[in-house]
Amino acid sequence: MVNNAMTDAQASARPDYLQADKVSTVRAMSLYGLGVCVGLVLGGIALFNARGTTTNTVPPENMALVNQRPILRSDFVTQLEDETGIPFEEAPLSEKLRVFDAMLREELMVQRGLELDFAETDQDARYALYAAVEQQTIADAAINAVTEEQLRAYYEEHRDTYMSRGVMTVHHLLIPATTATAEKAWDTGLQAVQALRLNKPLDEVKQAHGLEEADFYQRDFYYSASYHLGNELYTQALALQDGEVSDPLLLEDGVHLLQMVSHILPQPNSFDEARKQVEQDFRDSEKARLMDNMVEFLRERATILISEDIAGDYKPEDFNQSQTP
C-alpha cells in the first residue's frame, strides 16, 4: 500500500505534458511542430528530386543530362547499333564514345537552336518541327493492325472510288482556222461529221474535206486524254462510244472533231482487286483523322486572333483533311 501511494504521489508530481492521461498544450504544440518539420524535410527531398528539377546525378535510364535534358540510354543503344551494325554488347568502347560524343554535340546544337528561337525564325526548322509532331501524331495509324471488317466497311463506303481506269483510242481531227473562214470551216466540219457517221473511210473524208489529224491518241487513260484534249474536247470524248463521231467544236485554232475508235469505260473493282489500295486509303484517312483531332485540341487551348478581312469567311472545319473528298 505504501509503494502504491508513493507511485501515485510521484505521478501526480510530474508536469502535465509528461502525463499521457492529461491534456497538455505544451505537448500538443511540440508534436505539431515536430510534424511540420518532418513534412518540410520530406517535401524538400521530393522537390529537389522531382522531374524537371536540377540534379547532380544521372538517372540509370539516361546516358547524360545536358542542361537537365536527358540523352536516353535506349536512344544511345539504338543509334550505336544503327550506325555500326554491331550489337551494343559487342561494340568497342571507342565506337561507344564516338557515338556518345555525336549525340552530345547534337543535343548541344539543338538546345542552341532553341535558344536562338530557330523554331520561330528559320523555315526549315519550322518544317522539321511540324513534320516531327505530325509523325508522332499519326504513328499509331501507320503501324496498328487493320481488320478485314474495317477494310470492307471502308470499301463499301467508298465503293465508287475503286474503279478500273477508263481508256480511249481516239482520232483528233482539225480544220485549221488559217485555211478557211470560221463559217466555212464550220460548214466543212458538219459535212465531215456526216460523212464519218455514214462510215466513210477516214482517209477519204480527210482528203475530201481538208481535215488534218491533230493527233491520234491510242489507249490513252482518262487523265492523259484530259491533258491532251483539253476540257471541252475531253467532255465530248467521254460521251462517245466505239465508232461514234462528235459534233464539230469551234475553238480559236479552228474546228475540231473526234472519232472514237475504242472506249473502255471504268468498271467497279471487287474488294479483293482493290484491297491493297483500300488498306492504303484507310490508313491515310485514319492519319488525317488523327491530325484533325490534334489540331482541334491545339485550337481549343490556344488563343487565336484573326484579322477582320478574313475572320468572317474562315471556317476551320472546311479544311479538315479527314473530310476532304
Side-chain angles (χ1 to χ4, degrees), residues 130 134 285 287-296 299 306 310-325:
Y130 180 92
E134 181 181 47
S285 71
K287 292 175 184 178
R289 183 183 63 80
L290 291 172
M291 280 299 296
D292 286 344
N293 290 345
M294 170 60 76
V295 172
E296 183 62 26
R299 286 185 196 276
I306 301 177
I310 64 168
D313 299 319
Y314 175 64
K315 298 179 180 179
E317 60 273 15
D318 291 343
F319 302 94
N320 281 354
Q321 299 176 38
S322 58
Q323 297 178 7
T324 301

Side-chain angles (χ1 to χ4, degrees), residues 9 19 33 107 122 160 180 182 202-203 207 220 248 259 263 302:
Q19 298 184 45
E107 181 60 33
D122 182 78
D160 292 345
L202 177 60
D203 289 341
Q207 185 174 1
D220 241 11
Q259 184 185 45
H263 190 178

Side-chain angles (χ1 to χ4, degrees), residues 49-108:
N49 284 278
R51 183 182 297 273
T53 58
T54 302
T55 178
N56 292 323
T57 60
V58 179
E61 67 272 16
N62 300 332
M63 288 298 298
L65 293 175
V66 182
N67 296 322
Q68 299 301 306
R69 298 287 299 177
I71 295 178
L72 297 177
R73 188 174 298 274
S74 58
D75 290 345
F76 172 64
V77 172
T78 299
Q79 185 160 327
L80 175 70
E81 293 182 343
D82 287 346
E83 289 190 15
T84 64
I86 304 172
F88 179 78
E89 295 77 8
E90 301 175 13
L93 179 60
S94 59
E95 284 297 297
K96 293 180 179 180
L97 294 176
R98 180 188 65 79
V99 172
F100 174 73
D101 181 69
M103 296 182 73
L104 190 62
R105 287 169 177 264
E106 178 184 285
E107 181 60 33
L108 289 169

Side-chain angles (χ1 to χ4, degrees), residues 45-317:
I45 293 173
L47 177 64
F48 288 105
N49 284 278
R51 183 182 297 273
T53 58
T54 302
T55 178
N56 292 323
T57 60
V58 179
E61 67 272 16
N62 300 332
M63 288 298 298
L65 293 175
V66 182
N67 296 322
Q68 299 301 306
R69 298 287 299 177
I71 295 178
L72 297 177
R73 188 174 298 274
S74 58
D75 290 345
F76 172 64
V77 172
T78 299
Q79 185 160 327
L80 175 70
E81 293 182 343
D82 287 346
E83 289 190 15
T84 64
I86 304 172
F88 179 78
E89 295 77 8
E90 301 175 13
L93 179 60
S94 59
E95 284 297 297
K96 293 180 179 180
L97 294 176
R98 180 188 65 79
V99 172
F100 174 73
D101 181 69
M103 296 182 73
L104 190 62
R105 287 169 177 264
E106 178 184 285
E107 181 60 33
L108 289 169
M109 294 298 284
V110 168
Q111 290 189 24
R112 179 56 174 164
L114 294 174
E115 185 179 39
L116 295 174
D117 204 14
F118 281 172
E120 179 64 29
T121 60
D122 182 78
Q123 193 61 51
D124 289 340
R126 292 173 64 85
Y127 285 146
L129 280 172
Y130 180 92
V133 173
E134 181 181 47
Q135 288 303 311
Q136 182 189 50
T137 302
I138 67 176
D140 288 344
I143 62 176
N144 283 353
V146 181
T147 67
E148 286 294 303
E149 289 75 13
Q150 287 176 308
L151 294 182
R152 287 186 179 276
Y154 187 87
Y155 168 78
E156 291 297 334
E157 186 178 352
H158 303 85
R159 181 184 284 270
D160 292 345
T161 304
Y162 302 106
M163 308 282 288
S164 64
R165 291 190 289 182
V167 181
M168 58 178 63
T169 297
V170 59
H171 290 285
H172 178 195
L173 306 168
L174 172 67
I175 303 172
T178 56
T179 63
T181 63
E183 184 177 354
K184 183 173 177 56
W186 180 258
D187 289 339
T188 302
L190 289 174
Q191 295 170 15
V193 167
Q194 184 178 9
L196 290 171
R197 287 175 177 173
L198 291 173
N199 295 322
K200 291 187 177 181
L202 177 60
D203 289 341
E204 180 182 319
V205 175
K206 288 166 62 176
Q207 185 174 1
H209 298 283
L211 296 178
E212 296 181 4
E213 181 113 38
D215 216 326
F216 176 54
Y217 305 115
Q218 189 167 7
R219 294 192 61 78
D220 241 11
F221 291 117
Y222 276 6
Y223 66 86
S224 181
S226 173
Y227 172 77
H228 290 148
L229 295 171
N231 289 335
E232 292 180 275
L233 283 169
Y234 176 66
T235 300
Q236 283 192 332
L238 287 176
L240 298 177
Q241 299 181 16
D242 293 3
E244 291 186 336
V245 180
S246 69
D247 292 331
L249 179 65
L250 179 62
L251 299 175
E252 290 184 2
D253 58 342
V255 174
H256 295 255
L257 311 174
L258 298 175
Q259 184 185 45
M260 185 64 66
V261 177
S262 172
H263 190 178
I264 302 174
L265 297 173
Q267 298 296 322
N269 286 326
S270 68
F271 173 76
D272 290 336
E273 291 171 328
R275 189 189 185 287
K276 184 176 181 181
Q277 188 60 49
V278 171
E279 180 172 354
Q280 182 61 53
D281 292 345
F282 176 80
R283 290 189 182 278
D284 288 345
S285 71
E286 284 296 289
K287 292 175 184 178
R289 183 183 63 80
L290 291 172
M291 280 299 296
D292 286 344
N293 290 345
M294 170 60 76
V295 172
E296 183 62 26
F297 164 73
L298 296 175
R299 286 185 196 276
E300 289 177 355
R301 73 173 192 174
T303 300
I304 302 175
L305 302 177
I306 301 177
S307 61
E308 293 182 359
D309 55 323
I310 64 168
D313 299 319
Y314 175 64
K315 298 179 180 179
E317 60 273 15

